[in-house]
Amino acid sequence: SEYSREDILRIAESENVRFVRLQFTDILGTIKNVEIPASQLEKALDGEAMFDGSSIEGFVRLEESDMYLKPDLDTWVIFPWEHNGKRIARLICDVYDIDGNPFEGDPRSNLKRVVKEMEEMGYEGMNLGAEPEFFLFKLDRNGNPTTEPSDEGGYFDLAAMDDGEECRREISRTLEEMGFEVEMFHHENAPGQQEISFKYADAVTSSDNLQTFKLVAKTIARRYNLHATFMPKPLYGHPGSGMHYNVSLFRDGQNVFYDENDEFGLSKEMRHFMAGLLLHARGYTAVCNPLVNSYKRLQSGFEAPKYIAWSGRNRSPLLRIPSTRGAATRAEVRSLDPSANPYLATAAILKAGLEGVRNETELDTPVDENIYEMTKKQRDVENIEDLPTTLYTALKALKEDTVIQEALGKHIYKQFYDNKTLEWQMYSSQITEWELDEYLTQH
Ligand code: ADP
Ligand code: MG
Ligand code: MG
Ligand code: MG
Ligand code: MG
């Protein structure tokens, strides 16, 4: 591993780190912190830091609330910004219960469990390259976020010299300072919308990186008097924010998705993996698109997928195979959005793919026409199913998919399902502006 316990203690001392944040992620994807003064770092590194799990939404019952935080030493980073002149570092932690077992309600530990299943199947890793999109909005005079975009620039618009662009550049620079390899960043299709993609890594590291990325984007945006949001669809009539997941499996340092003897350069394992991704697509949608608002993106067209199909060519289906081969051979899952808890989404995607490999599920033929231009009848002939259209139907599909339930584990599945069902009920009981405009005078 990159850092030893002693390295970290030495660096903390020499860099004058005053506080350390012990971070983990709750079931809904929110980053939680237990902050300790540097004097307690040694204890924390030995896994002796405790917190009250009952204070975390959906974590544990009161009577079993003592939890331990075990830091992953490789995640040691000193934040490249100061808080009131003091330097703060962070360590991402796994949550353990009082008996010293990984806590089953901890999304990161849960992902590690699914990764282990993959290793038992003989793979060394799933590489994951995520492409999170987000919006930068202006703050009002009181410092509250608005939905006024940071700019009015368009896709790859060189003329859009504005705060949004400076801000995006600063986010990238900060990420690099924290050890990210930023591959590219650009303005996306909607006003104020940005994408920053960074180099793929193994399943757990990539998920950690997504959490760090969100924290950095929000922190830096504030400095530019902007608000970074990962809400999937903040603007009516404009594209929403997606988070494509590029995935491949590796064994002995080789990408097993690539087969130089195949007509298309794609291995059997890849075809099975993709077949699993298609078969469980309805099941993992609630996990990968967890908000009521997620479905407003999926339903709106633009580049968001509505249908369960794959293509080597066009960008309308759920799965695309980018044209590069060799080590970069990968499947791109296009339905996810950045409001997903990355640990849960990654566990669900990995499990779905592995299930396809395990059962040698047959991959359907690709759909290279634009699915949006096909009639319902044509889609029926080709056997193209829809993704769930609301959080409600997505939860129903999750309830019918025991493979995705297993990907979450019992504890997380129950908490997630109950919590999201409540969210749907709360939303459904609202009387919206749209309804009043539409119905109040008409009826
Ligand atoms: P797009 O053309 O879809 O906009 P991007 O360049 O924005 O693609 O992002 C591609 C992502 O795929 C990056 O995160 C990159 O590191 C990742 N990637 C490249 N090769 C692999 C691979 N073999 N497995 C998984 N991800 C990969
Ligand atoms: Mg991209
Ligand atoms: Mg792109
Ligand atoms: Mg994009
Ligand atoms: Mg993409």
Side-chain angles (χ1 to χ4, degrees):
S1 80
E2 208 174 327
Y3 296 109
S4 70
R5 180 180 177 281
E6 281 61 42
D7 289 338
I8 291 175
L9 288 170
R10 187 169 33 75
I11 297 168
E13 171 93 36
S14 69
E15 296 287 323
N16 202 18
V17 170
R18 295 287 297 280
F19 296 96
V20 179
R21 282 190 189 164
L22 305 175
Q23 291 185 340
F24 58 99
T25 295
D26 72 6
I27 290 170
L28 299 180
T30 311
I31 300 178
K32 301 287 173 182
N33 292 298
V34 173
E35 193 164 297
I36 56 166
S39 63
Q40 301 300 305
L41 179 57
E42 213 170 331
K43 256 175 78 181
L45 289 171
D46 293 336
E48 287 169 22
M50 276 174 74
F51 76 102
D52 176 6
S54 66
S55 63
I56 310 291
E57 169 79 25
F59 239 47
V60 271
R61 288 185 300 275
L62 219 58
E63 60 272 24
E64 50 190 30
S65 65
D66 281 342
M67 307 256 110
Y68 285 103
L69 292 172
K70 304 236 178 203
D72 180 338
L73 303 192
D74 286 341
T75 65
W76 168 260
V77 162
I78 301 172
F79 290 123
W81 56 81
E82 295 186 346
H83 293 259
N84 303 324
K86 295 186 184 65
R87 304 197 75 189
I88 299 185
R90 75 98 202 265
L91 283 161
I92 296 176
C93 301
D94 291 325
V95 182
Y96 276 67
D97 66 20
I98 200 84
D99 304 319
N101 301 313
F103 171 50
E104 51 174 5
D106 172 25
R108 191 175 193 263
S109 300
N110 179 67
L111 174 57
K112 286 185 168 176
R113 179 181 61 81
V114 179
V115 164
K116 210 159 182 192
E117 280 179 33
M118 169 198 69
E119 288 166 353
E120 281 160 6
M121 289 173 72
Y123 300 108
E124 114 203 339
M126 177 176 81
N127 280 319
L128 167 60
E131 306 171 54
E133 295 171 338
F134 60 102
F135 281 84
L136 290 172
F137 288 126
K138 292 178 181 165
L139 300 179
D140 68 14
R141 262 197 264 144
N142 301 320
N144 295 319
T146 67
T147 52
E148 192 187 334
S150 62
D151 61 72
E152 298 295 331
Y155 193 70
F156 290 128
D157 192 345
L158 291 176
M161 284 299 287
D162 51 47
D163 290 352
E165 183 156 339
E166 269 308 315
C167 175
R168 185 185 63 212
R169 209 171 278 134
E170 183 63 13
I171 293 170
S172 297
R173 204 190 55 72
T174 306
L175 289 170
E176 283 178 332
E177 226 177 299
M178 295 173 77
F180 279 60
E181 190 177 322
V182 175
E183 288 188 336
M184 77 141 131
F185 49 87
H186 60 81
H187 199 289
E188 270 293 349
N189 287 302
Q193 194 184 27
Q194 315 286 339
E195 175 180 318
I196 297 179
S197 52
F198 33 91
K199 191 173 186 255
Y200 66 82
D202 67 83
V204 175
T205 306
S206 265
S207 304
D208 287 345
N209 286 348
L210 280 166
Q211 292 299 68
T212 303
F213 167 74
K214 288 183 187 176
L215 182 74
V216 169
K218 285 184 183 291
T219 304
I220 301 300
R222 282 275 153 176
R223 293 228 193 114
Y224 287 79
N225 264 323
L226 297 170
H227 174 69
T229 183
F230 296 90
M231 175 181 181
K233 181 81 175 174
L235 298 179
Y236 173 76
H238 290 284
S241 291
M243 180 170 71
H244 299 164
Y245 257 29
N246 295 269
V247 295
S248 61
L249 289 175
F250 272 61
R251 185 171 46 220
D252 307 324
Q254 302 290 318
N255 186 339
V256 300
F257 278 11
Y258 178 56
D259 179 358
E260 56 180 2
N261 297 318
D262 178 77
E263 184 186 354
F264 303 102
L266 309 177
S267 72
K268 264 198 179 134
E269 276 154 306
M270 178 175 192
R271 288 167 202 272
H272 295 319
F273 194 92
M274 286 176 54
L277 288 175
L278 294 173
L279 189 63
H280 295 286
R282 291 183 59 83
Y284 60 65
T285 298
V287 181
C288 297
N289 306 87
L291 305 186
V292 164
N293 183 254
S294 296
Y295 298 83
K296 312 232 159 141
R297 164 180 168 262
L298 287 175
Q299 285 306 299
S300 70
F302 299 104
E303 281 195 358
K306 253 190 195 169
Y307 305 108
I308 302 172
W310 72 280
S311 173
R313 275 191 232 138
N314 72 56
R315 289 172 182 259
S316 58
L318 174 72
L319 282 184
R320 177 175 77 105
I321 304 181
S323 54
T324 48
R325 292 291 180 270
T329 311
R330 60 187 191 262
E332 181 189 47
V333 192
R334 304 173 55 78
S335 61
L336 296 96
D337 72 58
S339 69
N341 178 333
Y343 301 101
L344 300 186
T346 305
I349 293 290
L350 174 56
K351 179 84 177 182
L354 289 179
E355 201 62 17
V357 174
R358 188 174 292 142
N359 299 323
E360 301 188 357
T361 312
E362 257 341 293
L363 181 64
D364 286 337
T365 49
V367 179
D368 287 329
E369 309 95 280
N370 186 336
I371 307 178
Y372 291 99
E373 284 160 14
M374 292 165 79
T375 61
K376 171 90 175 74
K377 205 164 161 202
Q378 282 171 309
R379 290 199 303 272
D380 287 344
V381 170
E382 302 251 4
N383 211 359
I384 301 172
E385 266 191 277
D386 295 18
L387 283 173
T389 55
T390 60
L391 182 58
Y392 175 73
T393 45
L395 287 167
K396 265 174 77 166
L398 172 59
K399 201 171 188 177
E400 284 159 17
D401 192 328
T402 53
V403 168
I404 303 304
Q405 291 170 28
E406 276 168 34
L408 302 181
K410 264 203 192 96
H411 183 110
I412 294 178
Y413 168 62
K414 185 176 185 316
Q415 294 293 338
F416 182 86
Y417 186 87
D418 290 352
N419 190 298
K420 290 293 158 182
T421 300
L422 190 64
E423 185 172 329
W424 175 256
Q425 285 165 357
M426 276 160 54
Y427 170 71
S428 304
S429 62
Q430 297 302 312
I431 315 302
T432 62
E433 277 302 310
W434 184 89
E435 285 163 281
L436 291 174
D437 290 348
E438 201 72 9
Y439 306 137
L440 192 61
T441 53
Q442 279 248 359
H443 298 276

